[in-house]
Amino acid sequence: MTVFLIPNISKEDAVSTTLRAVKTLRAVNTKVLLPASVQAYFPEMPVHFMENAAAYQQCDVIVTVGGDGTILHTAQQSFGYGKPLLGINIGRMGFLATVEADEMEKLERLAKGDFRLDQRALLSVTVNGKNCFHQTALNDVVIGKSVLSKTVEVQIFCDDILVNHFQGDGVVVATPTGSTAYSLSAGGPILDARINAIVVTPICAHSLTSAPLVLSAERKLKITLSAPQEPHTALLSCDGRNPQTISFYDTVDVTLSDKSISLVCFDEADQFDAIDTKLKGR
């Protein structure tokens, strides 16, 4: 097996955790690749350093060392390569990670093939209008106001039928994987990550009737934002990264993608263990 190990060097324990991960993997005859950009942090290591694109092509599994943000960033970079992804958590929450820093024995299970793959749905997000672009998200797309003191009017259409219209801070459209992230904080439900569905959660709606919606995977969403006052722009962000400015009356089309991403899991109840230990604080 060949593992592409990607450490988030900005994390305090990234180097030491990566060294332990390399030692564990090499002990079970696993070839380890590291990004060329981190070579200075790991002198004389029994690994191969290479550019990310080449490593994505050559590896069997991608392993990140960091938090949820590191996993989401790597997922965005590696969508097109079809390689499974595993996270070693050294962050605060690490909800997407299935290996903690003190669980290196799970890397031995990885090398031996003692794991399963969870296919996780992706969102396909297309903006049409004055601003046109396309993005993909593993967790969610957040569409909201660009000025702290202002609210926006949100219109949500499902298969061209208006299903919600409210004034507030914006809206989160999440995958089942992302239902435990921003959507949950905004009052949305937790979904089994294996379900093909879309969660639509208003953000701070000035309404008593704007409940979250759980929609079938086949549904097509169209979202528009407007406001009677300045400014006439909003922000759109996929997986919490690189917010893009969109204009009011641009339309945002959101569907489940026909592609998915594989996350490495070691137990059938990994998601629910994470809910119990990380969200409930046990």
Side-chain angles (χ1 to χ4, degrees), residues 15-276:
V15 172
S16 60
T17 303
T18 300
L19 290 172
R20 290 192 291 120
V22 170
K23 182 179 180 180
T24 302
L25 290 168
R26 293 293 299 135
V28 286
N29 298 317
T30 301
K31 182 178 179 180
V32 180
L33 314 177
L34 261 70
S37 59
V38 303
Q39 186 168 1
Y41 295 90
F42 303 98
E44 301 181 7
M45 287 287 292
V47 299
H48 301 268
F49 295 94
M50 60 179 58
E51 297 301 324
N52 286 16
Y56 287 141
Q57 290 180 332
Q58 293 189 27
C59 72
D60 298 303
V61 180
I62 303 166
V63 177
T64 64
V65 179
D68 283 348
T70 308
I71 296 175
L72 290 170
H73 174 72
T74 303
Q76 288 281 350
Q77 298 295 316
S78 63
F79 279 146
Y81 294 90
K83 302 301 174 68
L85 187 61
L86 171 66
I88 300 174
N89 179 43
I90 56 172
R92 290 175 297 174
M93 180 65 73
F95 193 83
L96 293 175
T98 49
V99 177
E100 295 298 317
D102 60 353
E103 296 178 324
M104 289 298 165
E105 69 278 1
K106 287 186 176 180
L107 295 183
E108 297 179 3
R109 293 179 60 183
L110 175 72
K112 295 174 182 178
D114 182 18
F115 62 90
R116 60 184 307 278
L117 295 179
D118 261 2
Q119 297 299 319
R120 299 297 181 89
L122 303 172
L123 290 175
S124 176
V125 183
T126 303
V127 176
N128 295 295
K130 184 176 180 180
N131 302 277
C132 297
F133 57 89
H134 175 80
Q135 293 187 2
T136 303
L138 171 59
N139 256 6
D140 52 37
V141 54
V142 179
I143 311 162
K145 61 185 186 178
S146 57
V147 178
L148 184 63
S149 61
K150 305 294 184 181
T151 59
V152 292
E153 293 181 8
V154 182
Q155 288 188 311
I156 302 171
F157 298 85
C158 177
D159 293 341
D160 294 323
I161 297 174
L162 182 65
V163 293
N164 205 345
H165 181 197
F166 62 90
Q167 188 173 353
D169 288 354
V171 63
V172 182
V173 182
T175 63
T177 300
S179 68
T180 52
Y182 192 1
S183 176
L184 177 65
S185 299
I190 295 175
L191 296 189
D192 186 331
R194 298 183 190 176
I195 292 175
N196 276 330
I198 304 173
V199 184
V200 183
T201 307
I203 305 173
C204 298
H206 290 195
S207 168
L208 296 177
T209 58
S210 292
L213 299 172
V214 179
L215 303 173
S216 167
E218 290 76 25
R219 299 296 190 182
K220 297 179 180 180
L221 293 175
K222 187 182 298 291
I223 300 169
T224 64
L225 271 63
S226 62
Q229 71 275 1
E230 296 285 350
H232 297 304
T233 60
L235 294 176
L236 180 149
S237 177
C238 286
D239 288 341
R241 303 187 63 82
N242 302 323
Q244 301 289 318
T245 298
I246 62 173
S247 298
F248 286 164
Y249 306 109
D250 282 353
T251 60
V252 181
D253 296 322
V254 184
T255 62
L256 279 189
S257 173
D258 57 359
K259 299 178 181 179
S260 62
I261 193 169
S262 300
L263 296 186
V264 173
C265 297
F266 295 98
D267 298 293
E268 289 286 341
D270 276 344
Q271 180 195 16
F272 303 106
D273 285 341
I275 291 171
D276 194 46

